[in-house]
Amino acid sequence: MISSRASQQHQMGSAHADYPGLKENEVSTGTTIMAIPMADGVVVGADSRVSTGSYVANRVSDKISQLSKHIFCCRSGSAADTQALTDYVKFYLQNLSVETGREPTVKTAAHLMRKMCYGNKERLLAGVIIAGWDAADGFSCYQIPLGATCLKVPFALSGSGSGYIYGLVDSEYRPDMTCDEGRVLVKKAISHAMARDGSSGGIIRTVVIKPTGNDRDYTAGNALPFGPTGY
């Protein structure tokens, strides 16, 4: 008689021996993304590792997608699913901007994304953060985790590496931080997550969003503020 553990492994297949919690044909995915609205801007950041199980498919992926002039989306989950979702939302926001003659709001972008995620939640693996600036609400960010709940939050963290850094961000976040201080915190937090989470790694990309323009930046893997050499 086959034991329950052996039967479970047999059903999942030998390809998932290192990941016993996965279903057949399912792969392990992971990332670390975050966004922090400030008084003078919004800082979004992400690592760059795309993994399929224990294999790193892309070590310098850009997980920060621009949806409109002042609205960005940080993507976690399935790269294919989230890229398709951001393409759809970007298209709808462009049409809305042409029809109304004004830039879309962050809230509109977030609820469009939420509607698409919820309507396809059985077929998609997507957890995203929508952040940016608009004339109605100023600087804001919305978190849409797996399951497609849409929450407006003071700051947002998501992905497999986020569980390692909630305490760090809670202790160092201040509502009156400047964008320079926020960028330092984002890089510090993501580098800590990358040091602990095997599915997060590569480089750190950040974007500071302001009404006057957006400033992109990246930190190379050998210049991270925290890493194994700092133990």
Side-chain angles (χ1 to χ4, degrees):
M1 180 175 180
I2 302 176
S3 67
S4 59
R5 182 182 179 115
S7 176
Q8 182 182 16
Q9 288 180 346
H10 176 73
Q11 291 174 358
M12 289 187 298
S14 59
H16 295 96
D18 295 333
Y19 298 90
L22 298 180
K23 300 176 183 177
E24 184 67 26
N25 297 323
E26 186 178 19
V27 296
S28 174
T29 60
T31 189
T32 303
I33 55 175
M34 63 184 298
I36 306 180
M38 313 291 178
D40 58 342
V42 181
V43 182
V44 297
D47 74 308
S48 65
R49 176 174 292 175
V50 175
S51 58
T52 57
S54 59
Y55 177 74
V56 177
N58 188 345
R59 61 190 180 90
V60 288
S61 173
D62 188 357
K63 302 178 184 179
I64 305 175
S65 301
Q66 188 168 7
L67 300 179
S68 70
K69 188 175 181 180
H70 300 299
I71 304 175
F72 284 76
C73 173
C74 298
R75 303 178 289 108
S76 69
S78 165
D81 293 348
T82 55
Q83 285 172 354
L85 286 168
T86 53
D87 285 344
Y88 274 113
V89 173
K90 184 176 182 179
F91 171 74
Y92 290 138
L93 292 179
Q94 287 175 342
N95 286 346
L96 179 64
S97 181
V98 171
E99 292 174 2
T100 61
R102 58 179 182 268
E103 290 294 322
T105 64
V106 181
K107 183 178 181 179
T108 299
H111 281 279
L112 267 173
M113 182 67 77
R114 187 271 312 161
K115 185 179 175 105
M116 297 191 65
C117 289
Y118 187 80
N120 300 278
K121 64 180 180 179
E122 300 298 332
R123 295 178 288 273
L124 299 177
L125 180 66
V128 301
I129 297 171
I130 308 293
W133 174 87
D134 60 70
D137 295 327
F139 305 108
S140 59
C141 74
Y142 292 79
Q143 185 163 1
I144 306 172
L146 299 178
T149 301
C150 184
L151 300 170
K152 185 178 182 180
V153 289
F155 60 85
L157 294 86
S158 187
S160 60
S162 63
Y164 297 96
I165 56 175
Y166 266 103
L168 172 63
V169 178
D170 281 336
S171 67
E172 299 207 4
Y173 166 76
R174 303 191 324 272
D176 61 343
M177 295 176 72
T178 65
C179 282
D180 290 338
E181 292 174 325
R183 177 170 262 170
V184 170
L185 174 56
V186 168
K187 290 183 179 182
K188 179 179 180 180
I190 293 177
S191 64
H192 275 74
M194 290 164 61
R196 294 291 182 184
D197 178 32
S199 297
S200 300
I203 66 175
I204 297 176
R205 302 182 194 272
T206 60
V207 181
V208 174
I209 309 164
K210 294 185 177 183
T212 55
N214 309 309
D215 177 41
R216 275 188 173 267
D217 175 65
Y218 85 96
T219 303
N222 60 354
L224 300 175
F226 180 82
T229 57
Y231 289 166

